[in-house]
Amino acid sequence: MDYKAIIAKYRDTTGGILEAFNAVQKELSYLPEEVIAEAARIFNIPAAEAYGVATFYSMYSVEARGKNVIRICESAPCHIAGADEVIAALERELGILMGESTVDGLFALEFTECVGQCQATPVITINGEPFFDVTAAKVPGILAKFQK
Amino acid sequence: MAEEMRIVLRNYGKIDPLEINDYIALDGYKALEKAKAMEQALLIADVKKANLRGRGGAGFNCGQKWSFAYQAQADQKYVICNADEGEPGTYKDRLIMENDPHTLIEGMAICAYAIGATKGYIYLRGEYPFLVSTLNAAIEQASKKGFLDKFSIEVRSGAGAYVCGEETALIESIEGKRGEPRFKPPYPPAEGLWGKPTIVNNVETFANIPVIVDKGGEWYASIGAPSYPGTKVFTLTGDINNRTFFEVPTNTTIYELIYKFGGGIPAGKKFKAVQIGGTSGAFIPTELLKTPVAFDAMSEIGATTGSGAVLVLDETRDIVDVVTRIAGFFEHESCGKCAPCREGTARTHELMHKLNEGFGSSEDLELLDRLGRVMSISCLCGLGQAAPAPVLSTIKHFNADYYAKLV
Ligand SMILES: Cc1cc2nc3c(=O)[nH]c(=O)nc-3n(C[C@H](O)[C@H](O)[C@H](O)COP(=O)(O)O)c2cc1C
Ligand code: SF4
Ligand code: FES
């Protein structure tokens, strides 16, 4: 769907800019400049304020990034459960470093703090879907689901 | 020894969360009917009598808070459920919403009636996108059955910001702004969402309400520790045999949590430390394990009950390394509005990193201690005020670990 149509759906939601940004990101994976400008127009706020919102929240990116956003929890419970090994495996498997995207535009690799699935540390999420008790050995299998 | 007791998780595993009739079959929404037949002031008085204190971390008396919003004169009032659950190691609110969304909705509806609100919001953290449909389905079922005749609920999603769990930052976020905390007072029950009287309560707090209304405040007040009665859900992580959750009366001790419910430390290793209440909690040594988990007892030892996260470390863990990671968390999550926190969390992380890498001196340690004490009294919101707790408590109780790393 066109980003203008997505944002327009939230026109009557007071304070709904986060809802609009969330919905756009589901489609585009990030918030391009024109999305921020359009949201500012629809919600009747200065563009600077809309940009301020887009840069405040860690799940938003104002720069282009891979389609499937992989986030690795680095909070203390995941940290001591071996998140570092998972990070190394993901970097190796994708050939990129944390904070980067693959050249084919398929994956982005990011840190996150706790995602609330601490019964099964270490945890990663891909497009918001959690994967549990992740080990280096499990990484290729998890990625394969998104490589199609 | 204490036994597990389920109040907020009473329906866990017993009902289909997407089937309101299951909830109704287990007496669901009876408390709402009962509440609506009571005078508002009497209903609030009963919640006050229960002495239910907020389960989001600050431990404020719930009935008291409601009475402020009830007394406020306004054309519009709001009820907000804080489902931001960002404290690392915590997933109890997710358990409630995932398994029994109606208990939350019923609690919110009772609150709405009590204070005279017609509109409610559930502010759900951005990391729980899969719960949006569960909550919306439950809200729709409840309104179809007529339980939400004078009260509507909207689910709003965050987008990844720990500070948005702070109630005024959360309100800013619902208003569509950056999630920066407001100066207080005014407090939300006087001036909250869009300047109107607003109640913000945690998911677990709301989940207690139907049972309190059903069985009475006096009954609830008699459970657990008198100054912080009822039960609390704890989620156990780290070096613990049972990496799971428990709901226990509040007079349960930390020792019982770890050794009885948690099944002790794996692989025959010894206990080293436990951090309770999430990443902003203090680290607690062996000597203090007999402390009950209730709010005031924990305050007395310089710790918190907080969200109920329990992170256990065994004897092999490098506590300075873990605290360095935690300092990184606060640097990342500081919203930057006030200088003591914006600068303080960055400097704390820098100093911790230096110490952890083996380049720190005893002066650095003193500096860290002083910085922490300044932050805890000068930061604008609870994030900056609590950020030094892990550092200060480990310098106090695990000094040898720091000394072992000094140059
Ligand atoms: C940095 C920070 C984060 C917080 N995060 C949460 C949270 O995730 N969930 C929550 O219910 N309360 C959180 N709180 C506490 C809220 O500000 C507020 O006290 C609570 O929502 C009130 O509800 P209660 O009285 O039912 O606990 C946080 C506070 C601070 C300072
Ligand atoms: S204490 Fe930290 S998080 Fe709170 S307002 Fe100040 S900068 Fe923001
Ligand atoms: S600490 Fe990693 S999911 Fe909670």
Side-chain angles (χ1 to χ4, degrees):
Chain A
M1 202 196 289
D2 163 46
Y3 71 85
K4 285 193 178 163
I6 298 176
I7 298 170
K9 279 201 291 184
Y10 300 93
R11 182 187 292 274
D12 299 325
T13 306
T14 322
I17 190 166
L18 271 81
E19 293 295 312
F21 280 167
N22 286 336
V24 171
Q25 274 214 161
K26 240 190 215 167
E27 298 294 317
L28 300 180
S29 162
Y30 80 110
L31 302 172
E33 207 175 305
E34 58 271 23
V35 166
I36 295 166
E38 173 72 3
R41 199 176 67 78
I42 295 290
F43 293 101
N44 205 14
I45 57 174
E49 208 177 303
Y51 184 76
V53 172
T55 50
F56 183 83
Y57 298 90
S58 75
M59 290 168 74
Y60 297 148
S61 172
V62 294
E63 277 159 38
R65 63 176 164 185
K67 183 171 133 222
N68 300 297
V69 180
I70 306 175
R71 309 192 96 204
I72 303 151
C73 171
E74 61 164 347
S75 287
C78 281
H79 176 72
I80 70 162
D84 284 350
E85 285 161 41
V86 178
I87 293 166
L90 281 162
E91 289 184 333
R92 200 168 53 234
E93 204 60 37
L94 296 170
I96 53 172
L97 297 175
M98 293 301 302
E100 298 179 345
S101 291
T102 53
V103 278
D104 60 6
L106 211 48
F107 292 104
L109 207 48
E110 296 177 356
F111 282 118
T112 179
E113 296 294 351
C114 179
V115 296
Q117 303 287 352
C118 334
Q119 75 286 356
T121 53
V123 179
I124 70 170
T125 65
I126 304 184
N127 306 331
E129 181 195 348
F131 293 86
F132 306 121
D133 292 312
V134 181
T135 57
K138 282 187 186 172
V139 164
I142 295 172
L143 293 180
K145 286 192 202 167
F146 298 86
Q147 267 152 345
K148 279 168 257 156
Chain B
M1 285 245 265
E3 293 302 320
E4 192 170 8
M5 177 176 188
R6 290 191 170 184
I7 293 177
V8 303
L9 295 174
R10 66 195 178 281
N11 294 328
Y12 180 91
K14 291 188 191 159
I15 60 171
D16 177 349
L18 294 175
E19 187 40 80
I20 192 170
N21 289 327
D22 282 15
Y23 183 70
I24 292 171
L26 294 176
D27 292 338
Y29 290 108
K30 275 208 180 128
L32 176 61
E33 301 291 301
K34 182 176 170 187
K36 282 183 172 171
M38 289 167 81
E39 256 175 58
Q40 288 164 291
L42 289 178
L43 171 61
I44 294 173
D46 202 39
V47 175
K48 252 192 219 169
K49 201 187 282 168
N51 200 10
L52 169 66
R53 293 171 61 184
R55 298 303 198 242
F60 195 81
N61 185 298
C62 179
Q64 187 113 34
K65 183 148 80 178
W66 288 15
S67 70
F68 295 145
Y70 167 64
Q71 283 157 8
Q73 300 294 322
D75 54 347
Q76 177 76 60
K77 296 178 187 178
Y78 297 101
V79 174
I80 298 177
C81 171
N82 188 340
D84 196 50
E85 188 152 76
E87 197 61 77
T90 313
Y91 56 93
K92 53 152 186 122
D93 295 340
R94 172 174 60 79
L95 289 175
I96 295 168
M97 293 185 283
E98 224 165 34
N99 294 287
D100 192 12
H102 287 289
T103 198
L104 165 59
I105 293 167
E106 186 173 7
M108 287 179 74
I110 291 170
C111 174
Y113 168 76
I115 68 162
T118 53
K119 172 98 198 161
Y121 290 91
I122 298 174
Y123 185 83
L124 183 68
R125 65 183 310 211
E127 287 80 356
Y128 292 163
F130 42 84
L131 285 182
V132 174
S133 58
T134 305
L135 291 171
N136 278 329
I139 291 165
E140 199 189 319
Q141 290 172 357
S143 58
K144 271 208 185 119
K145 291 264 182 194
F147 295 127
L148 301 178
D149 53 343
K150 293 194 185 83
F151 179 56
S152 66
I153 305 178
E154 199 181 309
V155 179
R156 286 290 183 91
S157 293
Y162 168 73
V163 71
C164 285
E166 196 282 335
E167 55 189 6
T168 60
L170 185 155
I171 287 171
E172 290 281 306
S173 188
I174 294 182
E175 291 182 359
K177 302 180 193 145
R178 294 164 68 90
E180 290 174 1
R182 295 175 178 173
F183 287 91
K184 293 193 264 191
Y187 290 91
E191 267 178 55
L193 188 61
W194 291 299
K196 303 293 181 187
T198 303
I199 285 298
V200 182
N201 272 138
N202 173 257
V203 175
E204 187 181 353
T205 310
F206 279 127
N208 273 296
I209 295 295
V211 185
I212 288 173
V213 171
D214 179 36
K215 300 196 173 167
E218 216 160 302
W219 170 83
Y220 190 85
S222 70
I223 300 163
S227 67
Y228 182 89
T231 56
K232 179 79 194 75
V233 183
F234 289 89
T235 49
L236 278 53
T237 61
D239 301 311
I240 189 88
N241 275 315
N242 305 332
R243 263 200 301 167
T244 182
F245 60 90
F246 298 96
E247 180 176 352
V248 296
T250 52
N251 56 352
T252 304
T253 63
I254 307 171
Y255 183 90
E256 288 171 316
L257 262 187
I258 296 172
Y259 289 95
K260 183 183 180 204
F261 298 102
I265 319 292
K269 290 188 188 142
K270 279 206 200 98
F271 169 88
K272 177 164 190 165
V274 60
Q275 186 189 32
I276 298 193
T279 257
S280 55
F283 280 83
I284 299 160
T286 313
E287 308 86 85
L288 298 173
L289 292 186
K290 297 284 183 212
T291 312
V293 292
F295 193 88
D296 304 296
M298 293 292 277
S299 301
E300 268 173 43
I301 62 160
T304 51
T305 312
S307 61
V310 179
L311 172 65
V312 183
L313 301 181
D314 73 27
E315 55 184 338
T316 66
R317 295 296 179 180
D318 180 348
I319 225 164
V320 178
D321 178 68
V322 175
V323 176
T324 304
R325 171 73 272 282
I326 289 171
F329 171 86
F330 285 113
E331 180 183 13
H332 183 239
E333 298 299 333
S334 167
C335 83
K337 179 166 176 163
C338 70
C341 171
R342 184 179 61 238
E343 287 301 315
T345 51
R347 297 297 153 243
T348 302
H349 187 207
E350 195 175 86
L351 285 166
M352 281 303 305
H353 186 70
K354 188 175 167 195
L355 285 160
N356 191 33
E357 297 293 311
F359 298 115
S361 63
S362 54
E363 286 90 75
D364 290 326
L365 209 49
E366 271 166 44
L367 203 58
L368 202 53
D369 194 66
R370 213 165 85 213
L371 175 60
R373 281 181 286 128
V374 169
M375 285 172 68
S376 55
I377 52 171
S378 62
C379 288
L380 171 60
C381 87
L383 186 148
Q385 289 159 12
V391 177
L392 295 177
S393 61
T394 49
I395 290 179
K396 183 171 173 197
H397 297 301
F398 301 92
N399 203 261
D401 291 62
Y402 283 89
Y403 270 85
K405 287 203 173 189
L406 296 185
V407 281

